[in-house]
Amino acid sequence: MRTALVAEYRKLVSTRMWWILLLSAAAYLAFIAGVMALSFVTAGEEAAPALTGPELAAAVYGLINAIGYVFPLVIGSLTMTTEFRHQTITQSLLVEPRRGVFLGAKLLATVPLGLLYGLVGTVAVVAVGAPILAIGGDGAFLTDGDVVAVILLGVVVTALWAVIGAAFGSVLTNQVAAIVVILAFTQFVEPIARLALGAFDSLDGVAKYLPGAAADGLMGASFFGALGGESADLLSRPAALVVLLAYAGLLAALGRWTTLRRDIG
Amino acid sequence: MSGPTLAVEDLGKSFGAVRAVDGLSFAVRPGAVTGFLGPNGAGKTTTLRMLLGLTTPSQGRALVGGRPYAEHPVPASVVGAALEASSFHPGRSGLAHLEVYAGQAGVGRARCRELIDFVGLGPAAERRVGGYSTGMRQRLALATALLADPPAVVLDEPANGLDPEGIRWMRGLLRGFAAEGRTVLVSSHLLAEVQHTVDDVVIIARGRLVHASSLAELSELAEPETYVESPDPAALAALVGGRGWPHRPDGAGLVVTGVLAADVGAAAYAAGIELHQLASRGVGLEDLFLRLTEEAS
């Protein structure tokens, strides 16, 4: 397992994709954090803003999850789909025919990369958001316990997204299809599903188990939830962690029993 | 060094209604180069993939040194395999490609540098594989197979994309492996390509075994060919035709099959026909190969 992990780690860092996507994520998150912080800080003149104080700070810093989660998902899925796109899966399984070990190493190897994405993304949102909040708003709240928790959990949840991405890639191995599905699900399907499910009392309890909602639960802050319109009902942090791990586990199990049970080549 | 025996026993694979490999049995001995031959689509690659645990057989089994490839603790240290020259990440350098797989083959980075120089890719080691030529990829695939200095080597169409110098180098390398006692299996769709490299041949067509023997025994099945050229082609054609010898035009002369050069020369001398060239072409192995594989289909 150790050699398999080393191999997966070397695969990740020996091409340019990991840092290209990382820089894109940092730049995008810094921009969004700046826009969001400014819009709330300057909205106070006409009407009472929807968020203030530590809640606003947590929401801005939580953008790493609310907006940024597509990046670790994509980089995670790429670790798997790239093997099929370039047929390196053949060589990978020649040196490690135990396919469960191969998949396990893939999932674990994305953890440090996910943590790095979380760290860099968090630095980006805090570096841009905090000064704006401090100067134009109620403060940056960087010593507030709840806000610090959101910042730290943002790093953790990003690593989890990377693992879920890798597990998803083991199910849908077509690289383009995997990216399209990830974009469609994160940007379109889930936000609508959360709104729609939140509109019906009987289904209200279901929405919080959707992956994005579970991640919000782990963060303890939902940016879109705070803006109103959908259920603000989130899972507790431990429950949310279990649900996210379950998504990774179920997708990986599905990948193991479909993609990795088939003939290769 | 004594390599493991590669054994295929009643091996079969169906893809839907298609029997890609059908009850195939043969063994590959150490200390020799074995050519695994057959036309494209004969089931060679599928057989190799089953031998290497990438594809699950529908029937029978394939063994490396008495057990399935995947059941060896460090399989890459038992069999080094190069199946496709195209399976590299284009954005990774040749050296980085070797380093990715080195750990699982049980070797360190120094070995990667050594190998990349050995296969002649030293100057291109840090370049991304996306810019490699087919021949360079072929060499990188070979280096990957040799990571653990394995006692058995399995190469799928290793000559594809190599220049003549590269083919000669590969030939010497494989002969050297066999001389060291390793097991060497190379597939090809052309007998002529491996004719000067292999000791043994395993010929398949339509997923079935057609012939397995030493190359010498295969040659005995083939007929000699003689090339003959005369300034009076009409007289030569009349002579050959009159004797009932099978022949075909070839350049300025004729190729006579099944007749030794001495007999053609004697006949021409007796008939008073001037000859400008008379040469033995050896045995028509390629014709035999085509006949064997066509008969099966």
Side-chain angles (χ1 to χ4, degrees):
Chain A
M1 190 66 185
R2 201 190 65 80
T3 56
L5 267 173
V6 170
E8 292 308 327
Y9 169 75
R10 285 182 181 166
K11 282 177 198 170
L12 276 172
V13 299
S14 59
T15 65
R16 293 176 293 185
M17 186 54 82
W18 72 274
W19 60 260
I20 291 176
L21 208 58
L22 180 62
L23 290 183
S24 315
Y28 183 63
L29 282 169
F31 171 73
I32 295 290
V35 169
M36 290 293 181
L38 275 175
S39 68
F40 277 94
V41 168
T42 55
E45 305 291 321
E46 301 90 40
L51 285 169
T52 54
E55 284 78 31
L56 175 58
V60 170
Y61 305 149
L63 286 169
I64 174 80
N65 173 53
I67 299 290
Y69 73 135
V70 67
F71 291 98
L73 265 179
V74 166
I75 194 75
S77 77
L78 285 176
T79 65
M80 202 68 195
T81 57
T82 194
E83 294 264 8
F84 288 87
R85 171 146 187 224
H86 301 299
Q87 295 159 36
T88 50
I89 184 74
T90 293
Q91 184 59 38
S92 296
L93 292 180
L94 278 177
V95 294
E96 181 48 86
R98 293 168 299 170
R99 297 180 178 189
V101 172
F102 166 74
L103 179 59
K106 272 270 184 244
L107 298 180
L108 285 179
T110 57
V111 172
L113 192 70
L115 289 173
L116 178 68
Y117 270 63
L119 202 63
V120 171
T122 298
V123 166
V125 291
V126 172
V128 175
I132 296 173
L133 294 174
I135 295 163
D138 306 331
F141 295 97
L142 286 176
T143 50
D144 183 293
D146 291 340
V147 175
V148 170
V150 165
I151 291 173
L152 293 178
L153 285 165
V155 178
V156 173
V157 84
T158 305
L160 280 170
W161 281 123
V163 175
I164 291 172
F168 177 70
S170 75
V171 178
L172 186 57
T173 56
N174 181 305
Q175 190 161 80
V176 175
I179 292 173
V180 167
V181 168
I182 286 172
L183 290 178
F185 187 83
T186 58
Q187 310 302 308
F188 185 68
V189 176
E190 177 161 8
I192 288 180
R194 285 175 74 175
L195 276 174
L197 291 171
F200 300 98
D201 285 345
S202 56
L203 295 174
D204 202 18
V206 178
K208 65 187 175 192
Y209 291 100
L210 290 169
D216 285 344
L218 183 58
M219 297 287 284
S222 167
F223 189 84
F224 293 111
L227 293 178
E230 70 183 78
S231 170
D233 182 24
L234 293 173
L235 292 169
S236 69
R237 279 182 173 151
L241 180 65
V242 169
V243 168
L244 286 175
L245 287 172
Y247 273 112
L250 288 173
L251 285 169
L254 194 60
R256 176 66 187 83
W257 293 111
T258 55
T259 305
L260 289 173
R261 206 163 54 98
R262 293 190 198 117
D263 295 335
I264 299 298
Chain B
M1 182 180 287
S2 180
T5 297
L6 312 179
V8 163
E9 297 170 0
D10 190 32
L11 196 65
K13 181 69 185 180
S14 302
F15 296 111
V18 180
R19 301 281 298 161
V21 176
D22 196 357
L24 194 57
S25 299
F26 64 88
V28 180
R29 66 186 168 105
V33 179
T34 300
F36 187 37
L37 306 166
N40 287 327
K44 299 188 297 294
T45 301
T46 304
T47 302
L48 295 183
R49 286 185 166 272
M50 287 192 278
L51 178 68
L52 297 166
L54 295 166
T55 296
T56 311
S58 309
Q59 70 174 63
R61 56 184 190 159
L63 303 174
V64 173
R67 56 171 141 164
Y69 174 85
E71 287 178 16
H72 289 274
V74 183
S77 70
V78 182
V79 182
L83 288 186
E84 293 150 281
S86 61
S87 48
F88 304 104
H89 192 298
R92 195 173 284 142
S93 77
L95 184 60
H97 168 82
L98 292 182
E99 286 173 350
V100 160
Y101 297 107
Q104 288 164 300
V107 297
R109 292 191 153 168
R111 171 72 178 157
C112 300
R113 175 52 81 174
E114 180 188 320
L115 268 172
I116 205 120
D117 290 333
F118 175 70
V119 299
L121 290 176
E126 322 285 344
R127 271 170 50 200
R128 287 200 294 276
V129 177
Y132 280 20
S133 68
T134 317
M136 292 167 83
R137 286 162 193 252
Q138 202 62 269
R139 287 166 184 266
L140 183 57
L142 180 69
T144 314
L146 298 181
L147 270 173
D149 197 19
V153 180
V154 173
L155 307 173
D156 196 7
E157 304 267 356
N160 273 2
L162 284 183
D163 53 21
E165 184 269 327
I167 289 175
R168 204 170 52 186
W169 171 77
M170 175 78 76
R171 184 177 296 163
L173 190 67
L174 298 180
R175 294 297 333 151
F177 284 161
E180 289 166 13
R182 296 183 214 239
T183 313
V184 183
L185 181 64
V186 284
S187 81
S188 177
H189 62 283
L190 290 172
L191 176 59
E193 201 172 70
V194 297
Q195 195 173 337
H196 303 290
T197 313
V198 302
D199 305 290
D200 294 347
V201 289
V202 172
I203 302 175
I204 68 169
R206 296 262 172 125
R208 292 209 177 107
L209 185 70
V210 171
H211 181 91
S213 75
S214 67
L215 185 68
E217 286 170 69
L218 179 71
S219 302
E220 284 169 16
L221 296 176
E223 293 175 316
E225 288 191 337
T226 300
Y227 177 75
V228 58
E229 193 181 315
S230 167
D232 187 356
L236 180 63
L239 171 74
V240 170
R243 298 276 179 135
W245 290 338
H247 61 282
R248 61 174 189 271
D250 187 309
L254 294 172
V255 170
V256 184
T257 54
V259 184
L260 295 170
D263 297 332
V264 177
Y269 180 75
I273 299 172
E274 181 183 354
L275 295 185
H276 282 182
Q277 280 203 55
L278 176 66
S280 172
R281 279 272 178 93
V283 290
L285 272 182
E286 202 60 42
D287 285 343
L288 175 66
F289 174 60
L290 284 176
R291 212 179 69 223
L292 284 172
T293 53
E294 275 163 14
E295 273 170 9
S297 54

